[in-house]
Amino acid sequence: MANIASGGEAKAALVEPGGTETLSFCRWATDNRLLCLIRGAVDDGTGRLVGFSRMFALNADGSNRVMVTRNATDRALNVLQYAGSVIDWNVPGGTPGHVLMNRDFEPKTDIGTLINKSDEGLGVEDVDVVSLKRNLVERPKRDAREYIANGRGDVRIMGRQGFNGSDRLTNLISYSYRKAGSRDWLPLSEVRVVAQGRSTGFNPYAVDPAKDLAYGFDQIDGRLALYSMALNGSGTRTLVLSRPDVDVDSLVQIGRDRRVVGASYATEKRTIAFFDPQLKALSAALQKALPGNPAVDFVDSSADESKLLLLASSDVDPGKFYLFNKATRQLAEVLPVRPPLAGVAMGTMKPITFAAGDGTQIPGYLTLPPGSSGRNLPAIVMPHGGPSSRDEWGFDWLVQYYANHGYAVLQPNYRGSSGYGADFYQKNGFQSWRTAIGDVDDAGRWLIKQGIADPKKLAIVGWSYGGYAALQSGVLDPGLYKAIVAVAPVTDLEHLRQESEGFTSFKLVSDFIGQGPHVREGSPAQNAARITVPVLLFHGDKDQNVNAEESRFMADRLKDAGKSVTLVQFPGLDHQLADGQARTRLLSESNAFLKKAFGG
């Protein structure tokens, strides 16, 4: 916490527990009271990790800390996993310290009585973050998936996702809305999830109470676009913003009422299209005034929007938080994001494109070592995770570490990445793995052809799906890369499918992976004998996203095939390895591993 009024050093209000528990966010519920969310995982007794979250309220100085998440009673039939989320920081009448929160209600039973399932599912409560008194606002519904409020304490939209006969979630979400002042639900839209990160149908994200409409995303010509939908009963739908080249994929909101002030999309760099002309002008002016021409993101604002909190950052600067006072037109620095990196030379991230084997132009980002000639360098291809994700221009601690140690780093947005439309997405990075991995390998060949990479000193490094891509590249094109580093990788697609067994999302995960020969052919652990170069694996043993057994299985299969492999496991850490010592070890040991593989 930083006291903007009095200045001075920032002080900790809440310390992250560490291990599998991580601090997700903190926000002001009142001028002196914070709401913070902690996420974690526990073993369910069968060796399977089950995620959980808990919400806490505390004063700015860390005192009077209480858990806001309602404890499950001993009569609950299910374990309470998730804390729910704040869907509105305001309630009718402007009562301070009250928020609207959704939460899962568990069915309960009493000895000698029948089970009452009327209180099962997702509902909404008005919660006082000081007294913890709560009032039911929306009765729970078993198939409720989402509620959206309007920033004034009124729940206006509800999403419901059904179950099939096996208690598995279906891929259809039905949204309903209320007219202003009404309690009756009316049909709004249907969203069909066609793949992870891709859907069809109007998917609402926010409500504008002044205009009485909802903002949401739907596809146009295979790319996501922003639409508005009237909530007055007319059904009027209006295209707000679209692009012919990339998805419009994010709303920009500020303040306690989460007012929608713009939308954003990423081409070579992320761009914000402001709907608010004052913020548009201010953003442009600040970008010019601040050193290094950084990207400016409005993070939040005071309740009346007279003061704006913003983050200015770039590819070579992790960024600083600033406070802008509209009345005085003064800009004050609040906090740097990574103080120890002040004065450290960084590599410039340059947008590039290269031709895949079939001629398709693949976008990516090339970062060269500071002061480098850019010729005949040790080099790394670094595919991103997801696969329903993409790399963007901006500061990347992993990339900058390797660039600072003399490596050229290329981050390809291979086909299977999100942000470029349905055609570019293909079936996804697993079902269309040959295309995705082919693009990743073509990135390595491009580095060699351009004279940037020494062909004897080319490696591949990836995290999550990126780790999968690194290993599968060694299967598809043995020897192209002289070393493989995979962090928390998927290594066997059938194992990945089985990890979701027992969860309501199993059918969605299974459909995403698909069935057929590509499952075995696209699993590096099933084809470990084809890998010809040394492999270094890192994995946290409390990883919910990709079970650590994936890396153990890969290491065993490589050893059985007589290959060189090292597995580093981090006890108590999850998928992100959000621990300073663990990340330091990952960086230093991977650098030493690459240098050894390259011959010193």
Side-chain angles (χ1 to χ4, degrees):
M1 180 193 69
N3 190 318
I4 297 170
S6 61
E9 293 185 4
K11 298 180 180 179
L14 180 66
V15 178
E16 184 173 279
T20 57
E21 295 186 11
T22 57
L23 179 62
S24 182
F25 76 84
C26 286
R27 280 203 68 195
W28 295 104
T30 70
D31 289 344
N32 188 52
R33 195 110 173 111
L34 288 161
L35 274 181
C36 299
L37 185 72
I38 291 176
R39 300 183 186 275
V42 293
D43 191 315
D44 69 354
T46 68
R48 182 177 61 181
L49 289 174
V50 177
F52 71 88
S53 62
R54 296 293 182 263
M55 188 85 72
F56 292 88
L58 64 155
N59 292 335
D61 62 1
S63 64
N64 192 21
R65 174 180 166 180
V66 293
M67 188 165 72
V68 176
T69 303
R70 194 164 196 165
N71 282 320
T73 70
D74 56 5
R75 294 184 293 114
L77 299 179
N78 301 320
V79 175
L80 178 63
Q81 275 189 262
Y82 298 112
S85 60
V86 177
I87 64 170
D88 208 324
W89 296 85
N90 296 308
V91 297
T95 308
H98 283 244
V99 297
L100 292 188
M101 289 185 63
N102 61 24
R103 78 171 177 92
D104 283 314
F105 288 71
E106 313 82 37
K108 301 178 180 66
T109 184
D110 289 306
I111 297 175
T113 66
L114 294 175
I115 295 173
N116 177 9
K117 290 199 174 183
S118 61
D119 284 342
E120 180 182 7
L122 193 68
V124 178
E125 293 178 320
D126 171 353
V127 181
D128 185 327
V129 301
V130 178
S131 69
L132 298 188
K133 291 181 179 179
R134 54 189 80 221
N135 295 309
L136 189 64
V137 174
E138 297 291 337
R139 292 198 67 82
K141 297 175 178 60
R142 182 172 182 266
D143 62 352
R145 175 185 186 268
E146 179 182 13
Y147 294 95
I148 300 175
N150 64 354
R152 297 177 181 176
D154 300 319
V155 180
R156 296 292 302 276
I157 294 176
M158 173 178 61
R160 305 178 77 164
Q161 186 172 13
F163 298 83
N164 61 23
S166 304
D167 266 0
R168 309 292 194 190
L169 288 171
T170 68
N171 67 346
L172 184 66
I173 306 169
S174 298
Y175 284 96
S176 304
Y177 77 99
R178 286 179 174 137
K179 293 181 182 179
S182 172
R183 295 288 299 174
D184 297 328
W185 289 112
L186 300 171
L188 178 70
S189 64
E190 287 191 342
V191 173
R192 188 172 297 277
V193 180
V194 295
Q196 186 187 53
R198 305 299 302 184
S199 62
T200 59
F202 178 76
N203 191 355
Y205 272 68
V207 172
D208 186 325
K211 297 179 180 179
D212 199 23
L213 56 78
Y215 287 107
F217 298 94
D218 196 359
Q219 291 197 40
I220 178 171
D221 298 329
R223 291 182 175 83
L224 286 178
L226 180 66
Y227 287 86
S228 68
M229 185 83 81
L231 301 180
N232 58 9
S234 68
T236 302
R237 171 172 153 146
T238 304
L239 177 62
V240 178
L241 181 66
S242 65
R243 293 279 305 185
D245 50 351
V246 293
D247 293 330
V248 177
D249 55 14
S250 182
L251 283 180
V252 181
Q253 299 173 264
I254 62 171
R256 289 184 60 83
D257 59 358
R258 308 307 297 149
R259 183 170 73 93
V260 175
V261 296
S264 73
Y265 54 88
T267 51
E268 291 185 343
K269 297 182 180 181
R270 182 156 289 273
T271 299
I272 299 175
F274 284 100
F275 307 151
D276 184 311
Q278 290 184 342
L279 286 178
K280 180 179 180 180
L282 178 59
S283 175
L286 290 172
Q287 193 171 6
K288 291 180 180 178
L290 289 167
N293 195 33
V296 175
D297 295 309
F298 293 105
V299 178
D300 212 339
S301 75
S302 57
D304 61 0
E305 295 188 22
S306 64
K307 296 181 178 66
L308 299 171
L309 182 67
L310 58 97
L311 173 66
S313 63
S314 71
D315 56 338
V316 296
D317 182 359
K320 293 183 179 69
F321 287 101
Y322 294 88
L323 185 74
F324 180 77
N325 188 314
K326 285 185 177 181
T328 63
R329 305 291 294 177
Q330 289 185 332
L331 184 69
E333 182 177 329
V334 179
L335 286 172
V337 175
R338 295 175 182 263
L341 292 184
V344 176
M346 302 289 175
T348 300
M349 180 181 282
K350 178 184 177 183
I352 59 96
T353 58
F354 62 89
D358 62 0
T360 301
Q361 291 297 306
I362 307 300
Y365 297 92
L366 175 65
T367 303
L368 297 177
S372 164
S373 65
R375 308 295 295 176
N376 204 36
L377 299 169
I380 293 171
V381 171
M382 188 180 292
H384 61 74
S388 302
S389 182
R390 58 157 289 173
D391 278 316
E392 295 188 23
W393 180 89
F395 182 82
D396 187 311
W397 63 272
L398 197 58
V399 170
Q400 290 297 342
Y401 172 85
Y402 290 121
N404 188 265
H405 283 72
Y407 300 89
V409 182
L410 176 56
Q411 300 167 273
N413 280 326
Y414 48 83
R415 280 170 286 185
S417 302
S418 62
Y420 298 96
D423 290 343
F424 196 88
Y425 183 80
Q426 305 267 302
K427 291 181 179 179
N428 68 54
F430 289 130
Q431 293 194 40
S432 302
W433 71 263
R434 289 187 184 278
T435 301
I437 305 305
D439 291 349
V440 171
D441 288 350
D442 285 335
R445 282 185 275 269
W446 181 85
L447 282 171
I448 295 171
K449 185 177 180 180
Q450 296 296 312
I452 298 170
D454 178 342
K456 297 180 180 179
K457 296 182 178 182
L458 178 64
I460 184 165
V461 178
W463 199 311
S464 195
Y465 179 90
Y468 163 83
L471 292 166
Q472 191 62 10
S473 291
V475 172
L476 185 66
D477 202 339
L480 172 64
Y481 301 107
K482 308 309 176 186
I484 296 170
V485 178
V487 186
V490 172
T491 68
D492 187 281
L493 300 187
E494 187 55 39
H495 280 193
L496 183 64
R497 185 203 314 279
Q498 292 171 6
E499 286 179 35
S500 64
E501 182 67 57
F503 292 92
T504 57
S505 61
F506 174 73
K507 185 179 185 305
L508 299 178
V509 173
S510 181
D511 289 347
F512 180 70
I513 295 171
Q515 295 181 326
H518 76 276
V519 173
R520 188 184 188 287
E521 294 168 358
S523 296
Q526 298 294 341
N527 300 277
R530 289 183 55 80
I531 295 176
T532 61
V533 299
V535 174
L536 176 60
L537 302 168
F538 294 96
H539 220 128
D541 71 356
K542 300 300 182 186
D543 190 336
Q544 300 175 70
N545 299 59
V546 181
N547 195 287
E549 187 58 36
E550 296 264 358
S551 283
R552 298 183 191 118
F553 184 52
M554 186 74 208
D556 288 344
R557 295 302 296 265
L558 286 168
K559 289 177 182 176
D560 290 345
K563 308 298 180 176
S564 173
V565 59
T566 301
L567 170 59
V568 178
Q569 298 184 75
F570 295 104
L573 294 186
D574 64 8
H575 194 66
Q576 305 304 325
L577 300 180
D579 176 89
Q581 290 183 344
R583 289 189 173 185
T584 298
R585 183 179 176 187
L586 183 156
L587 293 172
S588 61
E589 291 193 12
S590 63
N591 180 38
F593 168 79
L594 295 178
K595 290 188 181 304
K596 181 179 179 181
F598 294 161

